[in-house]
Amino acid sequence: MNIIFMGPPGAGKGTQAERIVMEFEIPHISTGDAFRLAMSQGTPLGLKAKEYVDQGLLVPDEITIGIVKERLQQEDCGKGFLLDGFPRTISQAEALDSIMADMERKIDYAINLVVDRKLLLDRLTGRRICKKCGATYHVLFNPPKAENICDKCSGELYQRSDDTAEKVGTRLDEYINKTAPLLDYYRSKNLLLEVNGEEEIDTVTSNIVKILRGQVQ
Ligand code: ADP
Ligand code: ADP
Ligand code: ZN
């Protein structure tokens, strides 16, 4: 099963992806995680990405597409994959189509998590991430059992430097200008399925699972 998760920053893509990849045993491919890892290691890719990520801007297509292409060719993607946060521009979507065609594969579902813009600022500024395993929490909406400690691995939680009110504004503008047009792209291919992302985390997960199991059209 080859799946794309779409939706604005803070819609719940990462949270749902963590759960869906466990259920379906496919790799979770997050371009945001890939950039953050490269940035923390200070690699040439990380240094380049940092110029954009720190400002809340999208990283240029040629850099982003290269990373995804390489990742999709790895063996563990043979049984399927979940792309979280890619594609985010029309040219990324076109590149993905051609990567899929070269591999004689196709996208099965593009799931759009629908959340009203006014909820996103609170979701993003309260988000916390585990330093060790990358699990996502929220100080109010999905708090860890012990403050600032990951339930899964006891790692320390941190706040992303782009999860500030100032950067969130730029990121949402980038989403509206460059990523939202992709919804029509996938709608016209009959691949787009919309899920209400404002419901409880568990409810959203079970609604996605139903779609992926073919119980909902
Ligand atoms: P994205 O990957 O789309 O940017 P995340 O999955 O990181 O979004 O979620 C953003 C924040 O909102 C996180 O702090 C997460 O814990 C919280 N969150 C995710 N889904 C929900 C939900 N259904 N209800 C309330 N809070 C949520
Ligand atoms: P969120 O889901 O909260 O927007 P991500 O972790 O997916 O955050 O992305 C963080 C940042 O990484 C983005 O603001 C952008 O700078 C960069 N990024 C991630 N995915 C892409 C992409 N497909 N194209 C360009 N830049 C990206
Ligand atoms: Zn952890």
Side-chain angles (χ1 to χ4, degrees):
M1 188 137 41
N2 307 327
I3 312 163
I4 299 172
F5 270 6
M6 309 197 54
K13 302 179 297 295
T15 301
Q16 296 302 329
E18 279 173 31
R19 294 154 165 247
I20 296 297
V21 296
M22 299 245 294
E23 180 80 21
F24 291 90
E25 297 183 332
I26 49 176
H28 176 193
I29 305 175
S30 158
T31 38
D33 285 350
F35 290 135
R36 279 185 292 279
L37 178 67
M39 283 160 56
S40 73
Q41 295 172 335
T43 62
L45 166 69
L47 294 176
K48 192 78 206 151
K50 194 170 162 48
E51 292 173 28
Y52 301 91
V53 176
D54 275 354
Q55 295 184 68
L57 298 171
L58 292 184
V59 177
D61 286 334
E62 56 279 14
I63 299 177
T64 312
I65 291 165
I67 295 174
V68 173
K69 182 168 187 181
E70 205 180 294
R71 182 66 188 87
L72 288 175
Q73 286 164 346
Q74 287 171 21
E75 211 182 303
D76 62 339
C77 291
K79 58 190 170 190
F81 54 81
L82 194 169
L83 276 170
D84 159 11
F86 182 94
R88 271 176 146 119
T89 63
I90 297 278
S91 15
Q92 291 180 12
E94 289 169 351
L96 178 60
D97 282 345
S98 90
I99 296 168
M100 289 287 98
D102 287 348
M103 297 172 79
E104 297 182 357
R105 298 177 67 173
K106 64 174 180 51
I107 298 301
D108 298 307
Y109 297 99
I111 301 216
N112 183 33
L113 292 174
V114 183
V115 175
D116 196 273
R117 186 175 171 133
K118 65 179 184 295
L119 293 182
L120 299 173
L121 180 66
D122 285 345
R123 282 203 183 180
L124 291 167
T125 52
R127 171 160 64 185
R128 298 292 182 271
I129 316 271
C130 173
K131 267 185 191 158
K132 228 157 109 186
C133 77
T136 301
Y137 296 86
H138 190 283
V139 289
L140 299 176
F141 309 146
N142 183 27
K145 293 192 180 78
E147 201 178 329
N148 265 326
I149 309 276
C150 177
D151 293 349
K152 298 183 179 108
C153 78
S154 301
E156 195 189 331
L157 305 188
Y158 77 101
Q159 180 172 27
R160 275 170 47 176
S161 61
D162 59 344
D163 276 346
T164 57
E166 179 211 352
K167 307 274 173 66
V168 166
T170 312
R171 288 163 59 204
L172 292 176
D173 288 345
E174 287 279 84
Y175 172 79
I176 288 168
N177 294 328
K178 298 180 182 163
T179 309
L182 273 185
L183 296 176
D184 274 339
Y185 183 90
Y186 286 107
R187 201 173 278 128
S188 71
K189 291 177 184 284
N190 264 328
L191 293 177
L192 191 75
L193 285 155
E194 311 222 77
V195 172
N196 180 356
E198 295 185 8
E199 297 193 72
E200 294 284 327
I201 294 177
D202 287 343
T203 311
V204 179
T205 309
S206 73
N207 289 340
I208 296 173
V209 170
K210 277 182 205 149
I211 288 176
L212 298 178
R213 295 212 186 285
Q215 291 157 351
V216 179
Q217 281 313 307

